[in-house]
Amino acid sequence: MSELFPMSHADLCTIAVKWLKRDFSKRGPGCDVAVSEVKTGYTGEVPDAIGWRRKDDGMDGSVVVEVKVSRADFLADSKKRHRHEGGVGCWRYYMCPEGLIGVDELPVGWGLLWVNKRGHIKPQAGPIAHRHHGPYSKSLNEYRHDTDHGREQFILVKLLSRLGDVEEMNNRLKEAHREQNRLAKRCNGLVQEINDMRHRRFNDLIDGMPRRRDAGGAA
């Protein structure tokens, strides 16, 4: 890279993955899972970064970030087959050095993320360019693409297969969840016991206090 922008394509892919997992309150899409440069099949698209989020009201789905560090790379991108048919990502963004790509150059339905020399992201277009939840939610429908679910599934299965025996992991998680519930129930029971003991102790102290005498001297 030039001295004007010292970060490489790989650097921006790393920034893209971190941004995909960033919460909306911090100007990110809030993905639960995000990875960089994973093939969508034995041939075809390799997104620079892709993430998935679990949300309600039409906000769930995948987000793709395509990193461009040169004008030539950006211009060549429009010639790729998956830019015209298919392709992954319910929402799609280009990420580039600040000023490299203009908003008026974007394909329909794409967002734009500029990255300055310090690595800070400056949203220029797309749903995330809206700071408030209302306009953001509305723009999600406007920018949403029909994604290739089969290729996205390929990515997810490939990633899960690398983790080893997924069912064994699933069983361990279920057992941990059951143990967590058991301990939480036990803790709640102990809290109740402590409160009961305090209540009884308080009543014993009240009962043990000498009674006040009335004005006539009677107890």
Side-chain angles (χ1 to χ4, degrees):
M1 297 297 294
S2 69
E3 294 181 359
L4 295 177
F5 192 78
M7 284 175 279
S8 66
H9 182 277
D11 293 330
L12 289 187
C13 286
T14 299
I15 291 174
V17 169
K18 291 180 180 179
W19 175 78
L20 285 168
K21 293 187 285 187
R22 189 184 301 175
D23 189 73
F24 173 73
S25 62
K26 298 179 180 178
R27 305 205 73 184
C31 292
D32 301 282
V33 177
V35 293
S36 65
E37 299 181 299
V38 178
K39 293 181 179 180
T40 60
Y42 299 105
T43 61
E45 184 177 4
V46 182
D48 289 324
I50 183 171
W52 291 266
R53 63 185 175 211
R54 302 168 298 164
K55 302 290 182 183
D56 295 323
D57 302 327
M59 297 175 66
D60 62 308
S62 55
V63 185
V64 160
V65 178
E66 282 299 317
V67 169
K68 302 301 172 188
V69 293
S70 71
R71 290 287 302 172
D73 192 16
F74 170 66
L75 295 175
D77 193 71
S78 63
K79 300 176 182 178
K80 295 177 180 177
R81 181 177 178 181
H82 52 261
R83 292 290 176 253
H84 303 282
E85 55 182 57
V88 295
C90 298
W91 295 277
R92 303 171 186 181
Y93 292 85
Y94 283 111
M95 174 181 283
C96 67
E98 186 172 5
L100 183 71
I101 302 172
V103 173
D104 59 340
E105 299 178 284
L106 295 172
V108 175
W110 279 72
L112 178 62
L113 307 167
W114 282 356
V115 180
N116 65 19
K117 299 174 185 178
R118 300 176 64 186
H120 297 162
I121 296 174
K122 301 170 66 175
Q124 301 299 305
I128 208 64
H130 298 283
R131 291 182 176 272
H132 301 290
H133 194 272
Y136 170 74
S137 298
K138 182 180 179 181
S139 67
L140 286 175
N141 292 324
E142 299 173 356
Y143 280 85
R144 187 163 192 144
H145 293 256
D146 292 327
T147 185
D148 189 330
H149 292 289
R151 288 188 177 271
E152 288 195 12
Q153 178 177 293
F154 183 95
I155 295 176
L156 293 172
V157 172
K158 184 176 182 178
L159 292 173
L160 282 173
S161 68
R162 292 174 177 175
L163 297 177
D165 191 330
V166 178
E167 176 59 8
E168 180 181 351
M169 182 184 301
N170 183 48
N171 288 332
R172 289 181 179 179
L173 289 172
K174 288 189 289 186
E175 179 59 32
H177 184 66
R178 285 192 291 266
E179 181 66 8
Q180 181 184 36
N181 288 337
R182 186 189 70 80
L183 292 174
K185 185 176 180 180
R186 178 56 179 158
C187 287
N188 290 336
L190 291 173
V191 169
Q192 185 61 49
E193 288 180 22
I194 292 172
N195 289 336
D196 291 342
M197 291 175 60
R198 287 175 175 172
H199 183 69
R200 289 194 297 269
R201 178 59 177 166
F202 178 78
N203 288 335
D204 290 343
L205 290 173
I206 294 298
D207 292 340
M209 292 177 64
R211 297 181 180 180
R212 295 179 59 187
R213 296 180 176 274
D214 57 25

